[in-house]
């Protein structure tokens, strides 16, 4: 763990901007559940330590039970204690009699403190519930990976682009704007891309980190209702869109967000599959 208390999962989340939206959402949920569970477990451990410490203090406060020095000869001592003096009086035993030690059940009842125990039980239930939710979401993520096209998923995880590969680039960090560009080179050691703007009227060259570049690959398993980012016709800019028909060989029909005409009707538009990407990380599509 780093000095900023960044967990491995948090570090991983920072590098998954090209993964499918559903998978990113599951990983983010797992990250949030992991944080919540860690906080509950820490509180639970502290509560348990405090309860055990209080129980020990109660036990330590019990009076010391004295025992006979001749415990091994209890039977003989018992016989002797029954002897009487000449005048018929029973002599006083100057040694302390052995007393019965309390049973485990008696000690538990003695140290039991219901309010702290109820709080500990509540924290245990919370931690167990969070763990179960995290496992369920992990199962969902695994199923999604299994159902996602292997080529698409491998490209998303491994990343990297070759010269002349098309890419979506975010010129300004955290900006919602993405434009179409072409890879000139990629330095795997530094993670930096050099790209050219695909706008025919632009001669701009960009040098950007991997976090601001999505190398475009033909998306597999697109279906009606999927939310994506696509290049708007006759432009080089990406906009949010919804798939309205299953893809054909080279294109897909979509409805762009906020693209209604003067009558409020949104018309289907054909977009090349090579100009489509999954919704970028934190794009806010639901």
């Amino acid at each position: 763990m780093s000095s900023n208390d960044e967990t491995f999962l948090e570090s991983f989340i920072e590098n998954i901007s090209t993964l499918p939206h559903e998978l990113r959402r599951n990983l983010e949920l797992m990250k949030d559940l992991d944080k919540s569970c860690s906080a509950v477990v820490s509180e639970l451990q502290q509560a348990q330590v405090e309860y055990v410490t209080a129980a020990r203090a109660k036990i330590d406060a019990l009076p010391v039970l004295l025992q006979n020095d001749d415990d091994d000869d209890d039977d003989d001592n018992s016989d002797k204690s029954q002897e009487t003096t000449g005048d018929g009086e029973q002599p006083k035993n100057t040694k302390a009699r052995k007393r019965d030690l309390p049973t485990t059940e008696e000690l538990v009842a003695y140290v039991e403190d219901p309010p702290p125990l109820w709080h500990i039980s509540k924290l245990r239930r919370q931690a167990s519930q969070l763990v179960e939710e995290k496992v369920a979401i992990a199962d969902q993520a695994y199923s999604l990976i299994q159902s996602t096209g292997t080529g698409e998923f491998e490209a998303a995880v491994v990343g990297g682009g070759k010269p002349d590969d098309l890419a979506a680039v975010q010129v300004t960090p955290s900006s919602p704007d993405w434009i179409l560009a072409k890879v000139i080179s990629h330095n795997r050691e530094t993670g930096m891309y050099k790209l050219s703007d695909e706008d025919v009227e632009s001669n701009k060259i960009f040098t950007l980190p991997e976090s601001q570049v999505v190398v475009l690959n033909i998306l597999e398993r697109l279906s009606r209702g999927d939310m994506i980012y696509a290049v708007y016709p006759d432009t080089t800019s990406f906009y949010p869109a919804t798939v309205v028909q299953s893809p054909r060989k080279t294109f897909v029909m979509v409805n762009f967000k906020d693209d209604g005409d003067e009558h409020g009707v949104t018309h289907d538009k054909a977009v090349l599959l090579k100009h489509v990407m999954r919704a970028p990380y934190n794009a806010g599509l639901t």
Side-chain angles (χ1 to χ4, degrees):
M1 187 165 295
S2 68
S3 58
N4 294 326
D5 293 333
E6 184 183 56
T7 66
F8 172 78
L9 185 57
E10 288 174 325
S11 178
F12 179 68
I13 287 290
E14 295 294 329
N15 298 294
I16 62 172
S17 61
T18 61
L19 291 181
H21 178 69
E22 296 86 353
L23 182 57
R24 293 201 311 273
R25 183 176 65 242
N26 284 344
L27 291 175
E28 288 177 311
L29 285 172
M30 290 172 62
K31 179 189 70 173
D32 293 339
L33 287 170
D34 188 59
K35 284 183 177 180
S36 299
C37 189
S38 295
V40 172
V41 169
S42 295
E43 186 179 354
L44 172 60
Q45 291 175 337
Q46 181 63 30
Q48 291 178 151
V49 169
E50 291 176 354
Y51 186 85
V52 171
T53 300
R56 285 177 176 172
K58 285 185 177 182
I59 293 175
D60 290 342
L62 288 173
V64 177
L65 301 178
L66 299 178
Q67 296 182 346
N68 286 329
D69 293 335
D70 302 328
D71 284 342
D72 293 338
D73 301 324
D74 282 343
D75 292 340
D76 294 341
N77 290 336
S78 178
D79 293 341
K80 292 179 181 179
S81 65
Q82 301 300 322
E83 294 177 358
T84 57
T85 58
D87 56 5
E89 294 181 358
Q90 187 170 343
K92 295 181 180 180
N93 191 351
T94 57
K95 293 183 178 180
R97 302 287 303 180
K98 181 179 179 181
R99 298 173 58 188
D100 292 333
L101 294 175
T103 64
T104 300
E105 291 75 11
E106 290 172 337
L107 284 176
V108 169
Y110 175 70
V111 302
E112 186 175 7
D113 192 353
L117 280 178
W118 179 86
H119 183 58
I120 289 172
S121 178
K122 177 183 176 181
L123 291 175
R124 287 176 177 172
R125 289 194 301 271
Q126 289 179 352
S128 178
Q129 181 178 355
L130 290 170
V131 169
E132 290 175 358
E133 291 178 6
K134 186 176 176 182
V135 170
I137 293 173
D139 288 339
Q140 292 177 5
Y142 179 76
S143 298
L144 180 61
I145 292 172
Q146 292 292 92
S147 63
T148 300
T150 55
E152 176 187 344
F153 186 74
E154 181 178 0
V157 175
V158 176
K162 304 181 296 297
D164 294 330
D165 280 350
L166 291 176
V169 298
Q170 185 186 47
V171 179
T172 304
S174 302
S175 169
D177 299 324
W178 292 78
I179 63 173
L180 188 64
K182 183 176 289 185
V183 175
I184 297 175
S185 63
H186 175 229
N187 188 324
R188 288 185 175 274
E189 293 184 0
T190 63
M192 298 299 292
Y193 276 95
K194 186 176 182 181
L195 312 102
S196 60
D197 192 341
E198 276 292 274
D199 188 339
V200 294
E201 298 180 358
S202 171
N203 295 317
K204 293 181 180 178
I205 301 296
F206 307 109
T207 300
L208 300 170
E210 290 176 342
S211 60
Q212 293 171 237
V213 177
V214 176
V215 177
L216 300 177
N217 297 277
I218 301 299
L219 298 184
E220 302 174 14
R221 301 179 184 274
L222 278 179
S223 57
R224 182 176 181 177
D226 285 351
M227 292 170 288
I228 59 174
Y229 262 41
V231 175
Y232 196 87
D234 300 324
T235 74
T236 57
S237 298
F238 285 82
Y239 292 94
T242 302
V243 176
V244 295
Q245 293 181 15
S246 297
R248 306 294 175 86
K249 288 185 178 180
T250 60
F251 68 93
V252 61
M253 300 299 294
V254 304
N255 277 345
F256 283 95
K257 184 179 180 181
D258 301 327
D259 191 37
D261 59 18
E262 64 273 14
H263 302 293
V265 178
T266 300
H267 298 279
D268 299 349
K269 288 183 171 60
V271 178
L272 293 173
L273 283 171
K274 65 180 181 179
H275 290 168
V276 172
M277 69 172 177
R278 298 286 184 181
Y281 179 62
N282 282 344
L285 294 185
T286 56

